[in-house]
Amino acid sequence: MKNIEDVYYAHSKEGKPPEEWQLLEDHLKNVAETARKFASEFRAADWGYLAGLWHDIGKYSREFQERMLAANDINAHIESAIRPDHSTAGAQHAHAAIKHRGKLIAYTIAGHHVGIPDGLTNENSCLAKRLERRIPQYSDAPLDIINQTLSCNLPFVLDNKRACFQLSFFTRMLYSSLVDADFLDAEKFMNPVQSNWRKGYPTLSTLEKRLSQYLKTLVAHADSTKINRCRREILDACLFAADWEQGLFSLTVPTGGGKTLASLAFALKHALKHNLQRIIYVIPYTSIIEQNATVFRKALGEEAVLEHHSNYEPGEEDYRSRLTSENWDAPLIVTTNVQFFESLFACRSSQCRKLHNISRSVVILDEAQMLPVPLLKPCLEAIRELSSPTYGVSIVLCTATQPSLTKTQEFHDGLERVREIISNPKVLYTAFKKTDMTYLSEIKNEELAKNLLKHEKVLCIVNTRRHARQLYELINSSDNSYHLSALMCPAHRTVVFKKIREALNGKKPCRVISTQLVEAGVDIDFPVVYRSISGIDSIAQAAGRCNREGKLADNGKVYVFYPEAGLPPGYFRMAAETAEEVMRRHHDILTLVAVEDYFRTLYWLKGDKLDEFKILQDLSEGSKSGDYSFRRVASKFKIIRDEMMPIIIPFNKEAAKIIDELRFGKFPAAAARKAQRFTIQVPPRILGSLLSGGAVERIHDQYSILINRDIYREDLGLCPEDPSFHEVESLIT
């Protein structure tokens, strides 16, 4: 199968320079100009230009041309152990032409297919050994491409304490600019329809007008209750603060205060004020991302929002992965902590190509208290760097329980100059107090089920999928009982949420057993909520589903209990034990004082455990030589330590159509985006069991499709025959 690389670079049998080399020159200059544009967003236009100009000069060698002719493979130009190395030439040239700072460009060129290499290791793939490798001559490259230069000036002032982080971060952003430019130019030539599909988003100005009109309609139809008056005050505060200078912000709003739309209103107005390019809304849970995206689409239009959460990346970079990898070119991105932060520390091109589009944007970290404790310091360093003048990102720490991430005498690594949008959060929290809390001791499942059945409308939130199923099966004999977990695909959960809201608004009973996926941002309102012991932030979120609109004559009732099976290990147990400790010191654990005490105990006093995997130490080891551990850091920075794998569920006719598009269509990126609404995540061993048992089919070595519908139930979601599946205790619900 012929492809663009064959057309670009194959020379004649006589060994003469081919006429097609003009196309290679055009490719290099096109990529250079596009990379210049991307890198200009973080003041590095010339750096991006040279990375693009030199990234493929190794393809001018006769040896490369001969191997390309022999390969005749759509992936032949993508480097691997058996495919030709053409990127080392550009890396060596950059290092020689620009000396010390040229090494930063060398990293990006050396890794533009196979990922950024480590600086110095025992592996032959490290940059140090590649810079010494003997390579074929590329003397046929035009002189106007080869004879370029760059001043050694960086677009920022180095901080001696953070220099390694600054330089490695800058290198990764430069790498993003190069690989996205390279992918887009190849896509434009090979698949112009796919290339055009990426265009046509509405402008931020258009979105701001749509949201303004939508909010006016909401206000006009809202009841004049105390809660709604407070919500309007919160919105007004956000719109007022949007005119402030760029930087770091906090938005401390009680659950039910309307912070989702209020923060979006801030972001749109702030972006227009400072000529920023997009808004990135970062959410902790994959399982609730669809609700926020639905809210945004309702306000802004279907075409305005790009959801990015599930990964469909193969183990190796190939032609298809290049087409389907996401570059965040939409005006409004809704994504997850995993996608956002892991990408900032990644080394693969398909993960990193979107990073340059974070520059000059507004990032809203929804439920900021969910930043991973073992990776907190690296996350804060990334936030600090993005919010610097170089990258020009305004970041909003948006939560009902602020995790106290600011710098103090106790927490020297905290963020500085964080401005609170709400003038008096304590007064606001008093106005939003709508529940009374009772702390129960350990309770057995049977007794808990009996208590739940005493209530006509009740929500019970537990820590594990297994516990949720056990309780649901105990109460399932009653009418209008519902189960929610991430073993149900997002589209399925949307259907269940609709049924739950109809029951809540009517006179029917409504008893719901759920994992914590209902806690953050889900708009449901119960008079009674039970919550398995957990961190205070999670308890506060659960309380936010109780008497949410403040319409009960008395306060709603929240019961916190200890499950008979105990607590799952790791972060859950640590957070719950910290909550119990704080409970002994505070009568009301949902006051801002108690929440601050909780996070002080959980975060501030953990010391080195806030960088448990020594990410910052790894980055600092190359301080003098510039040998950064990109791959080692990427392998360590995992928010979900136990890898999860996606399975697409043929939930309805729409899902079946999308699966056909993935199987037979020409535009996998478009289909992959739409497939996220029908995707669940399972551990690799479970996926392996389903594949070997014939319950799941693998297509294009990239997408796993459920084909045995008998193991997907309408009430519970995925329920494989494998008994071990029910023992999985995932922290991602």
Side-chain angles (χ1 to χ4, degrees):
M1 178 179 178
K2 293 287 182 180
N3 65 45
I4 189 175
E5 307 296 347
D6 301 322
V7 176
Y8 270 13
Y9 316 125
H11 64 70
S12 65
K13 293 181 180 179
E14 291 79 13
K16 299 177 182 178
E19 295 179 3
E20 288 82 2
W21 277 6
Q22 179 60 47
L23 294 174
L24 171 56
E25 183 177 345
D26 291 343
H27 173 65
L28 294 179
K29 291 181 178 179
N30 290 341
V31 173
E33 288 297 340
T34 304
R36 183 208 295 271
K37 176 184 175 183
F38 291 160
S40 68
E41 297 293 347
F42 51 95
R43 306 178 179 182
D46 291 345
W47 294 74
Y49 180 79
L50 289 188
L53 197 64
W54 293 339
H55 79 286
D56 273 353
I57 59 174
K59 290 180 177 178
Y60 280 103
S61 72
R62 302 298 174 112
E63 290 84 349
F64 179 85
Q65 299 299 314
E66 290 169 358
R67 284 181 288 181
M68 282 294 300
L69 270 180
N72 194 24
D73 171 22
I74 195 169
N75 291 313
H77 67 289
I78 299 178
E79 295 174 348
S80 71
I82 60 173
R83 295 171 187 153
D85 169 12
H86 63 271
S87 59
T88 297
Q92 289 186 2
H93 184 79
H95 188 244
I98 317 178
K99 303 303 180 185
H100 178 61
R101 296 300 186 210
K103 195 170 187 177
L104 304 183
I105 296 180
Y107 276 113
T108 71
I109 295 176
H112 77 271
H113 280 304
V114 295
I116 314 178
D118 282 333
L120 179 61
T121 66
N122 293 326
E123 303 292 329
N124 289 328
S125 60
C126 77
L127 184 65
K129 293 183 180 179
R130 290 181 66 177
L131 292 178
E132 296 174 354
R133 183 183 298 172
R134 294 189 63 182
I135 59 173
Q137 291 295 314
Y138 49 92
S139 55
D140 285 319
L143 292 179
D144 66 329
I145 287 178
I146 296 298
N147 295 333
Q148 295 280 341
T149 188
L150 170 74
S151 69
C152 292
N153 294 330
L154 290 164
F156 49 84
V157 177
L158 283 174
D159 180 340
N160 290 334
K161 295 180 180 179
R162 304 179 60 248
C164 290
F165 188 90
Q166 288 177 289
L167 290 169
S168 60
F169 193 92
F170 173 71
T171 302
R172 197 178 283 103
M173 295 293 278
L174 193 63
Y175 175 69
S176 169
S177 300
L178 169 60
V179 295
D180 195 23
D182 188 27
F183 289 8
L184 290 174
D185 189 63
E187 180 182 79
K188 184 177 180 180
F189 191 96
M190 298 176 71
N191 198 334
V193 177
Q194 167 93 16
S195 180
N196 289 330
W197 168 79
R198 293 184 181 273
K199 303 174 184 178
Y201 292 111
T203 65
L204 287 178
S205 178
T206 298
L207 297 185
E208 196 273 339
K209 292 176 182 177
R210 290 179 184 176
L211 180 62
S212 178
Q213 184 58 46
Y214 181 77
L215 291 173
K216 287 179 182 178
T217 303
L218 282 185
V219 170
H221 291 87
D223 297 332
S224 182
T225 63
K226 180 180 179 181
I227 295 299
N228 282 333
R229 288 195 297 272
C230 288
R231 287 171 179 162
R232 286 195 289 271
E233 291 175 6
I234 292 166
L235 175 60
D236 290 342
C238 287
L239 292 173
F240 178 80
D243 287 331
W244 295 351
E245 291 302 311
Q246 282 192 260
L248 294 170
F249 302 86
S250 59
L251 178 58
T252 308
V253 173
T255 301
K259 61 183 171 64
T260 299
L261 287 176
S263 60
L264 179 61
F266 166 89
L268 282 169
K269 186 178 178 184
H270 188 73
L272 292 172
K273 167 77 174 180
H274 298 286
N275 196 29
L276 307 182
Q277 56 182 351
R278 65 183 41 81
I279 294 155
I280 304 171
Y281 209 97
V282 184
I283 299 172
Y285 297 134
T286 299
S287 53
I288 63 163
I289 197 172
E290 69 274 6
Q291 171 160 307
N292 292 69
T294 298
V295 170
F296 294 151
R297 288 192 178 100
K298 186 176 181 181
L300 304 176
E302 189 68 28
E303 78 285 6
V305 185
L306 187 155
E307 290 180 56
H308 188 208
H309 39 100
S310 298
N311 288 316
Y312 297 108
E313 296 177 17
E316 180 185 6
E317 303 284 4
D318 62 9
Y319 167 72
R320 183 171 290 272
S321 76
R322 296 178 73 163
L323 287 181
T324 58
S325 60
E326 186 56 70
N327 69 343
W328 286 5
D329 55 356
L332 176 57
I333 313 295
V334 184
T335 190
T336 61
N337 281 351
V338 172
Q339 273 291 347
F340 186 80
F341 284 104
E342 287 191 5
S343 295
L344 287 169
F345 291 88
C347 65
R348 294 179 61 189
S349 58
S350 58
Q351 293 173 287
C352 291
R353 70 175 291 192
K354 58 181 169 286
L355 295 183
H356 69 90
N357 275 329
I358 300 176
S359 298
R360 303 292 300 165
S361 66
V362 182
V363 173
I364 300 172
L365 296 178
D366 194 24
E367 310 303 341
Q369 77 280 357
M370 294 302 297
L371 292 177
V373 175
L375 298 168
L376 186 62
K377 285 186 179 180
C379 286
L380 292 181
E381 282 299 304
I383 291 171
R384 186 177 286 113
E385 193 65 15
L386 284 172
S387 63
S388 70
T390 303
Y391 302 100
V393 180
S394 286
I395 299 177
V396 184
L397 305 172
C398 184
T399 178
T401 49
Q402 281 293 351
S404 299
L405 297 176
T406 54
K407 184 175 182 179
T408 65
Q409 290 182 345
E410 296 172 293
F411 190 41
H412 298 290
D413 297 302
L415 301 170
E416 298 180 274
R417 296 181 293 278
V418 180
R419 291 161 289 172
E420 173 58 52
I421 292 174
I422 302 301
S423 60
N424 197 335
K426 291 183 179 180
V427 172
L428 196 61
Y429 272 69
T430 300
F432 269 82
K433 181 172 174 55
K434 307 181 291 285
T435 61
D436 294 325
M437 191 170 297
T438 301
Y439 310 110
L440 306 176
S441 57
E442 181 178 324
I443 185 169
K444 295 187 179 299
N445 286 346
E446 289 78 7
E447 182 182 354
L448 178 56
K450 289 179 182 178
N451 288 348
L452 297 176
L453 288 170
K454 292 176 183 178
H455 303 285
E456 287 288 295
K457 297 181 179 181
V458 61
L459 168 66
C460 180
I461 304 172
V462 296
N463 294 325
T464 68
R465 296 169 175 175
R466 184 185 185 192
H467 195 194
R469 175 167 178 167
Q470 289 172 337
L471 288 175
Y472 174 75
E473 289 176 338
L474 286 171
I475 71 166
N476 192 28
S477 58
S478 66
D479 293 333
N480 294 88
S481 295
Y482 303 94
H483 165 274
L484 286 166
S485 82
L487 292 179
M488 305 157 74
C489 70
H492 187 177
R493 294 198 300 269
T494 298
V495 172
V496 176
F497 274 124
K498 182 179 179 180
K499 293 179 180 178
I500 290 171
R501 292 188 178 98
E502 289 174 350
L504 289 172
N505 292 330
K507 296 182 179 181
K508 298 178 181 179
C510 183
R511 301 180 181 96
V512 178
I513 308 294
S514 178
T515 56
Q516 66 267 30
L517 67 85
V518 302
E519 288 181 342
V522 177
D523 187 13
I524 51 178
D525 190 352
F526 284 83
V528 180
V529 171
Y530 282 72
R531 181 58 167 101
S532 178
I533 185 70
S534 62
I536 287 179
D537 52 331
S538 293
I539 294 172
Q541 291 292 344
R545 309 314 122 191
C546 182
N547 195 22
R548 185 176 180 84
E549 298 299 323
K551 294 182 178 180
L552 297 178
D554 300 314
N555 282 346
K557 304 300 179 184
V558 177
Y559 298 95
V560 179
F561 64 91
Y562 196 94
E564 69 169 286
L567 297 169
Y571 177 78
F572 261 126
R573 182 173 296 168
M574 178 178 66
E577 290 173 349
T578 304
E580 289 182 300
E581 180 181 340
V582 173
M583 286 178 188
R584 291 191 286 269
R585 297 196 290 265
H586 299 271
H587 173 69
D588 185 352
I589 62 170
L590 299 186
T591 63
L592 291 181
V593 173
V595 169
E596 182 177 328
D597 186 10
Y598 168 76
F599 282 111
R600 181 189 295 112
T601 306
L602 186 66
Y603 288 179
W604 296 353
L605 304 184
K606 295 299 178 185
D608 291 340
K609 291 184 179 179
L610 299 181
D611 187 10
E612 186 173 331
F613 307 103
K614 311 298 182 185
I615 303 293
L616 298 181
Q617 178 179 311
D618 284 348
L619 288 174
S620 66
E621 288 179 354
S623 58
K624 294 182 179 180
S625 60
D627 294 319
Y628 304 115
S629 302
F630 287 106
R631 295 194 177 185
R632 183 165 60 180
V633 165
S635 68
K636 287 183 175 183
F637 194 99
K638 300 293 181 184
I639 292 178
I640 305 173
R641 305 312 299 179
D642 298 323
E643 185 181 7
M644 303 290 278
M645 305 296 292
I647 299 177
I648 302 173
I649 308 298
F651 177 68
N652 55 22
K653 291 181 180 179
E654 182 184 355
K657 182 179 179 182
I658 292 170
I659 291 170
D660 283 344
E661 290 178 25
L662 288 171
R663 194 186 303 272
F664 307 113
K666 297 181 180 179
F667 311 117
R673 283 180 175 181
K674 292 184 287 186
Q676 293 180 124
R677 295 191 62 249
F678 303 97
T679 301
I680 64 170
Q681 304 280 340
V682 300
R685 66 182 180 86
I686 299 302
L687 176 59
S689 176
L690 294 172
L691 285 167
S692 62
V696 167
E697 177 188 8
R698 191 81 169 161
I699 61 174
H700 302 309
D701 195 33
Q702 192 169 357
Y703 308 105
S704 297
I705 314 296
L706 181 70
I707 55 177
N708 181 359
R709 287 298 306 273
D710 291 337
I711 61 174
Y712 192 90
R713 288 172 44 177
E714 290 188 7
D715 56 348
L716 292 171
L718 188 68
C719 298
E721 305 269 329
D722 181 3
S724 67
F725 185 83
H726 303 308
E727 302 300 320
V728 175
E729 304 291 6
S730 172
L731 299 187
I732 301 300
T733 59

